[in-house]
Amino acid sequence: MLGPVLETLIGGLLTGVLYALVALGFVLIFKASGVFNFAQGAMVLFAALSVARLSEMMPLVVAVALSVVIMIVLAYAIEFLVLRRLVNQEGIILFMATLGIAYFLEGFGETVWGSNIYKINLGIPKEPMFFFESVFPGGLLIDREEVAAAVGCAVLVAALAIFFQVTRVGRALRAVADDHQAAQSVGIPLNTIWLIVWAVSGIVAIAAGMVWGSKLGVQFSISLVALKALPVLILGGLTSIPGAIVGGLIIGAGEKLAEVLLGPLLVRWFDLAGGGIENWFAYMLALVFLLFRPQGLFGERIIERI
Amino acid sequence: MFYREAGQFKTTYKADQAIFPIVQDRWFVIGVLAFAVLILPLFANQYLYTEVLIPVLILSLAAIGLNILTGYCGQLSLGTGGFMAVGAYAAYNLALRVPETNLIVVFLFGGVMAMLVGVLFGIPSLRIKGFYLAVATLASQFFLEWAFARVKWFTNYAPSGSVAVANLELFGIPIDTPMRKYLLVLFIVAVLALAAKNLIRGRLGRMWMATRDMDIAAEIIGIRPLHAKLSAFAVSSFYVGVAGAMWGFLRLGSWEPLAFDINRSFQILFMVIIGGLGSILGSFLGAAFIVLLPIFLNQVPGLLGIPLSTAMVSHLEFMIFGAMIVFFLIVEPHGLARLWAIAKEKLRLWPFPF
């Protein structure tokens, strides 16, 4: 019994890392500009599509580099065409604008790159690995791609942490995240900062898109996977990078365990047509969690004044 | 010159508290209703009924529901599709299990069940707000969608998971032609929209608006947040539930949970934002805009004689739809209702600007 449960747990944690990758992009933008960027999922899809299609024509490394350029251009376009014109609007208006961007990007990506299912080949062998064969009968089965994704994610987070803590731009970003007006008054250009965070979360989207793309194949459903990043986000707190990672792990592990352990029970008790509680469990977990801690695990304490 | 309230004196309290205090507004509303009831059926064809008029009206009702919650009470919700599904499936089950029930009662029952579920999912709003709440309402959306797909009792053990209604009738009159469906929808929507317009002028509406503008301040002047927020969730879900029941019964006829998925929630949120937050009229304008835009975009390549594959058309539709939304938000973030108000203000002075 323990073996399969542990296997599910590890599988769930590794999936959680992938959720965290998507959530990271949300957090970066929300922190720096207060925009709840619903287009992150579409950006992941767009990035994955461009990597997949470009890597058909050139080596993977070049394709990724070119995709980075594309995402930076995209960030510039979004900043210049949309955000700049919506400065000082309420949060909900900006949120709706990103929904509009999401629709646009989904259509645009499929118009430019085509709408079939594409494959990204990261050059990682497909066959899973086995661990602890001496401890459990049959050992633990772990997907190599997911391990690679976890390592990649760790490297990315480390790089982001260094970027945020050490560099001059990173300091400016943190200043803007703390207080827009104060940052502006000491001479930090807001528009440039926004351009940078959108570009960085575009690059995070490339990483997420490559991993998801090699796992699921690059297709429309990737932008739906991004919806799963939302409970991760509110569980961890909208403004916290460690929160996104921890939230991702909790959600990933929680929903896989729930599917395996709770699913069959629910099916038996309520006479269901199949389980599939993965679809909502993450949201319910986050919802129940929020009842006790409204700002998420690591979110900033909400202080309200009149 | 014609739109001016000069000379209209309010001599009684009744006149002062009229829903449409300006005579011209009153006539305008009566005119629109008369046009919808008397003139439209003279020339409308089946396509116009089933693809334009009925969807616009039903989705307007759902948009009014969401507008009560988001526009008037300030609670952002992404679970509209789920609540519509509750309305549709509750109505289906009542009609199935008690076949002699009046159709209007069936719809209202759908609304009441959605109301109960809405209050249940509204409880978190007492603790969390803003985008946290928006994501929390996604929980209701996904959970309800899942429940109607998996719990066999709701779909009466249909093997395909889709349910169908047939042989609708009201007071002995069969509701079978598109025109009859349209008139029934029009009647229900008009009554409920009027009720909503009344509701938001009263105590309840003022409570909601105070909560929206600043909930802590509202609490300090003596508005119970529990009362205000949960009543907004209740009324909103009722409207959305009735809209869902009508969508299932009068628009689709047979449906599965996919008809009420997350995209439906977004669609209705778009209607509310494009139409104008905090405006009943805006809900209608927004619904008309969002329903008509894809139809229009679909026609354009054909009209211009550009040969495009259907896949291409649907991608372009996505692109243009997204771009239009962003464009609209940039040009007029307060929605079509604000444009309408500006036009009215201009009309008041025209043609003598001073």
Side-chain angles (χ1 to χ4, degrees), chain A residues 176-193:
Chain A
V176 172
D178 267 355
D179 190 329
H180 287 191
Q181 279 183 344
Q184 210 168 15
S185 68
V186 295
I188 296 170
L190 271 186
N191 288 334
T192 318
I193 293 299

Side-chain angles (χ1 to χ4, degrees), chain B residues 94-95 108 110 187 302:
Chain B
L94 183 68
L108 292 181
F187 170 73

Side-chain angles (χ1 to χ4, degrees), chain B residues 264-284:
Chain B
R264 180 74 59 208
S265 300
F266 283 138
Q267 190 190 25
I268 290 165
L269 190 60
F270 274 135
M271 289 172 185
V272 171
I273 305 271
I274 297 275
L277 282 166
S279 160
I280 299 291
L281 174 75
S283 307
F284 285 96

Side-chain angles (χ1 to χ4, degrees), chain A residues 9 25 44 76 96 100 125 134 136 149-150 152-153 165 175 203 216 244 268 278 289:
Chain A
L9 181 68
V44 171
Y76 183 75
M96 293 310 291
S134 52
F136 302 108
C153 178
Q165 294 298 329
I203 292 165
L216 299 174
R268 189 139 30 91
E278 260 183 292
F289 200 87

Side-chain angles (χ1 to χ4, degrees), chain B residues 9 27 42 52 65 76 84 165 167 208 217 243 260 269-270 297 299 302 317 329 336-337:
Chain B
F9 300 113
W27 282 110
L42 291 181
V52 180
L76 188 54
M84 278 178 86
V165 290
N167 304 327
W208 294 338
F260 302 103
L269 190 60
F270 274 135
L297 290 179
Q299 305 289 339
E317 211 183 293
L329 289 173
L336 295 166

